[in-house]
Amino acid sequence: MLTGLLYCSVPVTGMGQQVGAYGVQDTLRSGFSSVKNELLPSHALELSEKNFQLNQDKMNFSNLRNIQGLHAPLKLQMEYRAARQIQRLPFLQSSHLALDTLKGNDESISFEDILNDPSQSEMVGEPHVMMEYKLGLM
Amino acid sequence: MATLSVCQPQLGGFSFENCKRNAVLEAEVTKLGCNVPSARKTGTTICGVVFKDGIVLGADTRATEGMIVADKNCSKIHYISPNIYCCGAGTAADTEMTTQIISSNLELHSLSTSRLPRVATANRMLKQMLFRYQGHIGAALVLGGVDCNGPHLYSIYPHGSTDKLPYVTMGSGSLAAMAVFEDRYKQDMEEEDAKRLVRDAIAAGIFNDLGSGSNIDLCVITKGRVDYLRPHDMANKKGVRSQRLIRPVYAVTGNYKYKQGTTGVLTKSVIKLDLEVVEETVQTMDTS
């Protein structure tokens, strides 16, 4: 495991802490901060897993654009944007049925469905905070 | 349920929250001289061979946890689809979960296409998943099956590389098994010859490698028929405790008592203890 820490020693942005009100580290909500914690990923796969879906989509869209022209990814992304809006408020569980069907996730099972299922999470987000964050008021 | 001020909803999948803590713990523990608990591996011999009409897959049945045998009779040949089976070596949990996930995905896929799944599909799904996790999922697999294009055999390594070959071996006993294959493999064997060859290869792995042992499981896949032979051969039988027949009918196992009269009696003295009745009480039972 130590070797795991050693070879992911490329400092990256994006591991940073949540910025609270007034743009300062929010110790109450996200714990103590340390430069090493923010700079280094804790596991070699952490970054690649966080961005996996994004990277897959980027790759697929660029393939589509090269094969079928610009209209194909444009139309698809428009549909994704529309389907993404069909959901409940952020602190409630939404089924994402339309989005899953569009992306093809309704026909596959992966670790996202088995491990850490958000519907079985033991923690509930606080409604006001999550709404404020979503609307950008925080 | 506890309330926590998270700003974004939780995502599913792997969570890396405890990795830093684990790394610190491991450093502390090694400083003190203890060991961290290790994952259960299957330290295995698995192999597969293509014969005239199909595939024969073979595996031993020992699961080890460091230097201890954790499971004397574990099943390493996993079901993927009615015509595809997969042997798994490496970390036991990883092979189980990986094969189950791929089996579910293949089932959904075959329902969506209304066709029997192909071995190449399973192979591609496995290699894409294993590559995504860069070898951290320690699953080395031998995938074999018969589909519309005939019999196919693949070996899949933990980092995601695959080989399509007529005979493959994986696991810690793979070299012993491969030696047997290299000596006796022929193209287009008959089913009995193929079964004997795989059985001998796994036996070579069992007897020459500490990480493999116990019984030999075989799985014969042909077009339209699967024979899951578990166990096909018990290479290491446990000893039977000594038996003693009381009467001609009953056999008592493990009776190590000596017969009456084995030890000669030299003297015998009987001392009578005089006990007198001190008190007599009657306690009624509550029978209502």
Side-chain angles (χ1 to χ4, degrees), chain B residues 41-46 58-64 69-77 202 206 211-218 228-236:
Chain B
K41 304 184 73 86
T42 49
T44 302
T45 310
I46 50 175
D60 72 305
T61 57
R62 174 183 289 183
T64 52
V69 174
D71 192 342
K72 289 189 281 275
N73 199 355
C74 75
S75 155
K76 296 184 190 176
I77 307 189
I202 301 286
I206 287 177
S212 319
S214 300
N215 315 328
I216 301 172
D217 289 348
L218 281 192
Y228 193 98
L229 306 161
R230 173 177 160 82
H232 171 68
D233 195 354
M234 309 192 82
N236 302 3

Side-chain angles (χ1 to χ4, degrees), chain A residues 66-77:
Chain A
N66 290 334
I67 298 173
Q68 293 186 18
L70 188 57
H71 78 99
L74 269 185
K75 281 192 184 147
L76 270 181
Q77 280 180 321

Side-chain angles (χ1 to χ4, degrees), chain B residues 238-246 250-258:
Chain B
K238 270 178 96 164
V240 183
R241 296 206 183 113
S242 78
Q243 301 201 346
R244 201 186 71 147
L245 289 162
I246 299 186
Y250 300 114
V252 175
T253 49
N255 194 339
Y256 292 89
K257 283 211 175 105
Y258 291 104

Side-chain angles (χ1 to χ4, degrees), chain A residues 24-41:
Chain A
V24 185
Q25 159 71 1
D26 201 350
T27 318
L28 182 68
R29 297 210 174 97
S30 30
F32 295 112
S33 69
S34 95
V35 177
K36 190 170 76 142
N37 276 349
E38 286 148 38
L39 233 35
L40 298 174

Side-chain angles (χ1 to χ4, degrees), chain B residues 32-43:
Chain B
L32 291 172
C34 319
N35 320 51
V36 270
S38 65
R40 180 194 294 195
K41 304 184 73 86
T42 49

